Amino acid sequence: MDKIAQDVGDIQSRLLDHRPVINAEIRYIVREFEEKRGHRESRLLENLNKMVVEANDQMLPTNLELINRQLSDVSKRLEAANHMAKRVQQRELEAQQSTQLQMNMERLKDEWADFLKEQQRLKEKVDEEHAKEVKQLSSRYCEMKKDLTKFSPL
């Protein structure tokens, strides 16, 4: 019975466990790659490295000079654009302040007109009260004068 269980275990491991087969395939591919291709990839990488170094040595200084010139041109244009933007903002601010000033002036004129109307109304009220008081006083003095003339022998 132990022998049968061992055989079933072996069959099961061969049918379901693929690790040994996969490991063998991996070793085969690695061996083929190393033997057949040799150092071809490393030589190609070295050649590419040499080409990149040469391109950097030749192209980098000229490109740096060109980039510096273009950068200075861009900087000058940016400064000019900033200057123009500041001028536009200043003009807009002045226009806004001018508009604000005009609005304030109109408001002050309206307030002044209202003030003058109020002063005129108060003046008329005071004049009316004064006229009433004068009228009352003059009528009182007239009565007093009449009373005085009644009592005086002249």
Side-chain angles (χ1 to χ4, degrees):
M1 187 71 153
D2 286 334
K3 184 78 169 157
I4 293 174
Q6 186 179 9
D7 287 343
V8 170
D10 288 342
I11 292 172
Q12 179 187 4
S13 68
R14 286 187 182 183
L15 288 176
L16 299 177
D17 190 14
H18 302 293
R19 284 182 286 177
V21 175
I22 292 174
N23 286 335
E25 282 295 318
I26 291 172
R27 283 193 300 274
Y28 173 75
I29 290 172
V30 169
R31 189 172 50 245
E32 285 293 314
F33 182 77
E34 288 175 351
E35 288 176 2
K36 290 187 177 178
R37 294 189 180 201
H39 296 287
R40 184 172 48 178
E41 280 78 18
S42 63
R43 282 185 302 223
L44 286 174
L45 289 173
E46 287 174 8
N47 287 340
L48 281 174
N49 189 25
K50 286 180 185 177
M51 288 173 42
V52 167
V53 168
E54 289 175 5
N56 279 340
D57 291 343
Q58 292 174 0
M59 301 288 259
L60 191 61
T62 57
N63 284 341
L64 281 177
E65 292 171 5
L66 178 64
I67 289 171
N68 282 335
R69 271 188 268 126
Q70 290 174 346
L71 182 62
S72 66
D73 291 344
V74 168
S75 296
K76 289 176 185 175
R77 289 180 183 174
L78 183 61
E79 287 176 13
N82 281 339
H83 181 69
M84 286 181 184
K86 285 181 183 177
R87 283 190 4 218
V88 167
Q89 284 179 336
Q90 185 66 27
R91 287 181 187 160
E92 187 173 326
L93 181 63
E94 289 171 0
Q96 190 177 31
Q97 287 176 345
S98 174
T99 305
Q100 185 69 26
L101 183 63
Q102 289 175 356
M103 288 172 41
N104 286 342
M105 289 298 289
E106 290 175 13
R107 183 180 53 81
L108 289 175
K109 284 179 184 177
D110 292 341
E111 288 178 4
W112 183 252
D114 292 343
F115 174 75
L116 289 179
K117 287 178 186 176
E118 181 67 19
Q119 290 301 314
Q120 184 64 31
R121 186 185 65 76
L122 291 173
K123 179 185 174 255
E124 290 172 0
K125 184 178 176 183
V126 167
D127 287 345
E128 286 176 15
E129 289 177 5
H130 178 69
K132 284 181 187 177
E133 291 291 325
V134 166
K135 192 175 185 181
Q136 286 177 357
L137 284 175
S138 61
S139 65
R140 186 182 299 159
Y141 280 118
C142 282
E143 287 177 19
M144 289 172 73
K145 191 174 185 181
K146 285 181 190 177
D147 287 340
L148 188 62
T149 54
K150 282 188 201 176
F151 295 115
S152 74
L154 291 172

